[in-house]
Amino acid sequence: MSSDVIARNNEIIDSHFHSEAQADVDATLDTFTDDVLWQAPAYNGLNREYKGKPDVGKNYLQIWASMANVQLTP
């Protein structure tokens, strides 16, 4: 893998976590492809899976609303 590809991937990852920390759903979704598959496996039976940017975006809004008093530091 070329260093250009690695650098670009790292930029996207940095942008993603920065957007999450700012609770900016549009900027966060910009780091995904349109056919994103967001999965959260959980041993307690609360497994979740969301397909496509609209569903993933709704999930982020629910997550961030439930964590209103929590600060994330990537």
Side-chain angles (χ1 to χ4, degrees):
M1 187 175 300
S2 77
S3 61
D4 290 342
V5 171
I6 293 169
R8 179 65 184 134
N9 286 345
N10 285 332
E11 287 174 15
I12 293 168
I13 292 166
D14 288 345
S15 174
H16 175 84
F17 285 115
H18 176 77
S19 300
E20 279 190 341
Q22 300 300 311
D24 184 340
V25 71
D26 292 328
T28 300
L29 292 176
D30 284 344
T31 65
F32 294 126
T33 58
D34 290 337
D35 63 348
V36 60
L37 175 60
W38 191 98
Q39 296 176 314
Y43 294 114
N44 61 1
L46 296 176
N47 297 345
R48 294 176 285 162
E49 179 175 291
Y50 302 93
K51 297 177 183 178
K53 285 185 177 183
D55 285 343
V56 171
K58 288 176 191 174
N59 179 53
Y60 269 115
L61 291 173
Q62 290 174 347
I63 289 171
W64 292 331
S66 72
M67 298 172 41
N69 297 318
V70 176
Q71 291 187 349
L72 300 176
T73 305

